Amino acid sequence: MNKYLLLVYFGATLFFTSCSKNDDTPVVIDKTPPTPEATDITVQNFMWQSMNAYYFWQADVPDLADNRFSNDDDYVKYLESEQDPGTFFYNLCNNHIEKVGEASAVDRFSFYTEDYKELTQSFSGISKSNGLEFGLSLYGNGDQVFGYVRYIVPNSNAATKDIKRGDIFTGVNGVPLNRDNYIDLLFGTNDTYTLNMGSISNTTISNSEKEVTLTKEEGLIENPVFLTKVIEVNGQKIGYLMYNSFTSEFDKKLNTAFDELKAAGITDLVLDLRYNPGGRVNSAVLLSSMIYGTYTDKPLLKARYNTKLQSQFKQEDLTSYFADTLDDNTPITTLNLNKVYVLATRSTASASELVMNGLDPYIDVVHIGTATTGKNEFSVTFVDDYDNGNVYDPEREDKINPKNSWAIQPLLGRNENADGFSDYTKGLFPDYELSEDLSNLGVLGSTDEPLLAKAISLITGSTAKKDFSVRVPVQLLTSSKMFTPVKDNMYMDFKNPIPLIKK
């Protein structure tokens, strides 16, 4: 075989984990990296290596075939054929949305970044942000865009300003927002901008004279355990938990929240994932265990990889079970529920959907809201660290090629639940459909907030006592979370890798 092609085989020492204690199966990539000559193809080389070995649709992309190149020169010429690494990456993907559009896309979620450090910090809940989390929608002639505030991150710049959930803005720095300019105005290079505020009267959006100036600051840490509350209604104790990202650094705080809910003696739980775009799979396993139970013999999910990898795994190595401890062996607090009420919307994705789908074979998952995103694939972060199989490991920062800061986050597989179901690319659909109402977003955690109120009415049986009509339903274009490095990613852990064996 050409020395530039990757041979993937098992029985050695690179462990591919599905986030359980018993699913470590070794993977070794055998390949001697080429030495770039006249043209710098360092980034392209590392991208091809990783995609050939791990990409979920590797068998469906001719340029990723193991026998694609007949000799070294063919391989190098191919890497040199596209000088832009970003374009090169999307060309390796299977009908990527960036190349073919949403209607024809197979791969909707693989992505790259030129700065792996920014990406990995985001996975830890650290970002450069002003703390304003918002949705964007269309109005008027269909090209006009307005934003609505979803929540404010505590201890952020926005937390010090006169702006709150439910507020509307229609422009930035005096320029009305539209389809063509909203990305540059809100997510461009300017760290400071002024929002031109507006209001909704009946179904009409109007401008106002109010302005709010915000500044993005480095190192903002967002605790995804946003709100934990015990609500008492007619003698019933209902737990409410708003959780906004699956972030491993806050698994202990999540467990503490369940400590509080259990100590309060709640009998029902409302889990608010309406703005949660996903994150770490193992955190999803932990949350599921906190809800249902620490049944380490019961499968929560089964991973399915590309054809080349899947046949090499034993079935038990593909399975992640409910957990009984955190990563540091702290015992998990579980509520042992047989029903959970989940608030979920189109902004609910990946690891959030995994929790809903994973729990479904075991307990009654009552979905209130709208259809979710439909992201059923997981990914892993790859960087230019050949001796570690190009898998990112925070303990190997000094081993990453200092001349290549790029990272890729390709889709590696899908997670099925215990019943083998993973086909929800169009989203998980609600049992009780209820869109957020822009004319009445309500206060998060309040018994009058419409989605929570609906859950409470179902729990208490008082379904006929409240009007749940929606006057101005959210028609989401996108949200602020989709312009962070993490976006709606669901990522797996790779553990215990060692340098690869070379021929």
Side-chain angles (χ1 to χ4, degrees):
M1 176 182 171
N2 182 319
K3 69 177 181 179
Y4 291 122
L5 304 184
L6 299 182
L7 291 177
V8 181
Y9 61 92
F10 297 80
T13 47
L14 177 62
F15 289 85
F16 201 132
T17 180
S18 297
C19 301
S20 75
K21 296 182 179 65
N22 303 314
D23 62 356
D24 289 336
T25 299
V27 178
V28 175
I29 303 174
D30 186 355
K31 179 177 185 296
T32 303
T35 302
E37 298 175 356
T39 302
D40 188 353
I41 52 175
T42 302
V43 178
Q44 289 88 334
N45 177 58
F46 125 79
M47 286 179 171
W48 194 92
Q49 287 179 348
S50 307
M51 295 288 280
N52 168 265
Y54 301 110
Y55 186 51
F56 186 47
W57 293 284
Q58 184 261 346
D60 299 319
V61 180
D63 283 338
L64 288 176
D66 292 343
N67 61 355
R68 166 65 176 83
F69 309 104
S70 58
N71 55 56
D72 297 350
D73 288 341
D74 283 350
Y75 178 68
V76 172
K77 286 178 181 179
Y78 173 75
L79 298 183
E80 292 176 334
S81 66
E82 177 53 63
Q83 292 301 295
D84 176 44
T87 300
F88 181 84
F89 175 72
Y90 287 139
N91 288 343
L92 291 177
C93 296
N94 185 17
N95 291 324
H96 196 279
I97 190 171
E98 293 289 335
K99 301 288 290 185
V100 301
E102 185 171 3
S104 302
V106 175
D107 185 343
R108 298 179 293 156
F109 301 107
S110 294
F111 67 95
Y112 66 85
T113 177
E114 296 183 45
D115 184 356
Y116 73 84
K117 291 184 178 180
E118 181 184 12
L119 176 63
T120 54
Q121 283 185 339
S122 295
F123 284 141
S124 300
I126 303 171
S127 65
K128 185 178 185 179
S129 172
N130 55 34
L132 187 74
E133 295 297 339
F134 55 87
L136 293 168
S137 188
L138 298 174
Y139 74 107
N141 60 12
D143 288 327
Q144 295 171 285
V145 173
F146 72 93
Y148 61 96
V149 180
R150 291 173 158 183
Y151 68 92
I152 307 292
V153 177
N155 304 313
S156 66
N157 180 259
T160 67
K161 303 299 177 70
D162 182 18
I163 191 167
K164 65 184 185 305
R165 173 174 167 80
D167 284 350
I168 300 293
F169 58 90
T170 59
V172 174
N173 299 331
V175 180
L177 292 168
N178 59 48
R179 280 182 178 270
D180 295 328
N181 67 16
Y182 77 88
I183 295 178
D184 287 339
L185 290 173
L186 290 167
F187 309 107
T189 57
N190 292 332
D191 289 342
T192 297
Y193 55 69
T194 298
L195 296 179
N196 307 115
M197 307 304 290
S199 62
I200 293 181
S201 177
N202 295 321
T203 60
T204 302
I205 296 174
S206 304
N207 299 325
S208 71
E209 295 183 358
K210 181 179 177 180
E211 296 181 340
V212 178
T213 300
L214 301 173
T215 300
K216 298 175 185 178
E217 299 172 331
E218 293 281 3
L220 178 65
I221 300 175
E222 179 179 354
N223 179 359
V225 187
F226 186 78
L227 182 59
T228 308
K229 190 174 183 179
V230 177
I231 301 168
E232 293 196 39
V233 181
N234 299 329
Q236 288 183 257
K237 290 186 176 182
I238 301 169
Y240 171 78
L241 172 65
M242 187 172 202
Y243 184 56
N244 290 334
S245 178
F246 291 80
T247 310
S248 61
E249 284 74 8
F250 292 91
D251 288 342
K252 278 192 174 182
K253 291 189 180 296
L254 182 62
N255 202 42
T256 298
F258 275 81
D259 284 339
E260 296 170 0
L261 295 174
K262 187 168 187 175
I266 68 164
T267 56
D268 299 274
L269 175 66
V270 180
L271 177 63
D272 195 340
L273 300 176
R274 73 181 80 184
Y275 305 138
N276 190 322
R280 186 182 183 227
V281 169
N282 196 53
S283 295
V285 173
L286 297 176
L287 175 59
S288 301
S289 305
M290 293 172 193
I291 295 169
Y292 173 56
T294 55
Y295 304 111
T296 56
D297 60 337
K298 291 187 178 183
L300 174 66
L301 60 93
K302 300 175 184 177
R304 181 169 295 279
Y305 303 103
N306 68 37
T307 304
K308 186 164 61 174
L309 300 182
Q310 186 74 15
S311 62
Q312 305 299 325
F313 285 107
K314 295 179 180 179
Q315 191 61 38
E316 58 267 26
D317 295 327
L318 297 169
T319 305
S320 290
Y321 298 85
F322 287 89
D324 58 358
T325 65
L326 304 181
D327 289 351
D328 65 356
N329 293 320
T330 300
I332 284 176
T333 298
T334 182
L335 299 177
N336 295 115
L337 296 175
N338 57 24
K339 179 183 286 189
V340 62
Y341 297 82
V342 181
L343 309 183
T345 66
R346 183 182 160 191
S347 293
T348 305
S350 62
S352 291
E353 294 169 302
L354 185 153
V355 169
M356 298 169 69
N357 188 51
L359 286 174
D360 187 63
Y362 298 102
I363 66 175
D364 188 5
V365 179
V366 182
H367 176 179
I368 301 164
T370 60
T372 60
T373 296
K375 185 178 187 300
N376 55 355
E377 299 101 352
F378 58 82
S379 64
V380 166
T381 305
F382 292 96
V383 294
D384 195 350
D385 182 5
Y386 172 77
D387 287 336
N388 203 47
N390 288 343
V391 177
Y392 174 74
D393 182 341
E395 297 182 0
R396 291 179 57 87
E397 290 274 354
D398 60 335
K399 306 298 183 183
I400 297 172
N401 183 355
K403 297 180 180 180
N404 181 10
S405 62
W406 288 66
I408 59 173
Q409 198 79 27
L411 299 179
L412 268 66
R414 289 178 177 161
N415 281 311
E416 305 171 346
N417 66 14
D419 291 339
F421 179 72
S422 65
D423 186 16
Y424 52 90
T425 55
K426 294 183 179 180
L428 298 170
F429 291 88
D431 299 291
Y432 298 90
E433 186 166 4
L434 183 61
S435 173
E436 286 198 295
D437 188 345
L438 290 172
S439 67
N440 180 30
L441 275 182
V443 177
L444 292 171
S446 167
T447 55
D448 292 328
E449 188 278 308
L451 268 65
L452 176 55
K454 180 65 176 179
I456 293 172
S457 73
L458 293 170
I459 293 169
T460 61
S462 58
T463 55
K465 297 181 180 179
K466 188 174 179 62
D467 179 13
F468 290 103
S469 58
V470 178
R471 295 169 60 197
V472 188
V474 167
Q475 301 291 333
L476 189 68
L477 171 65
T478 187
S479 73
S480 52
K481 286 185 181 290
M482 294 302 99
F483 291 86
T484 65
V486 173
K487 298 187 286 188
D488 50 7
N489 182 60
M490 174 167 59
Y491 61 96
M492 300 282 273
D493 294 340
F494 276 48
K495 296 180 180 178
N496 305 323
I498 68 168
L500 302 177
I501 299 171
K502 301 178 184 179
K503 279 190 174 181

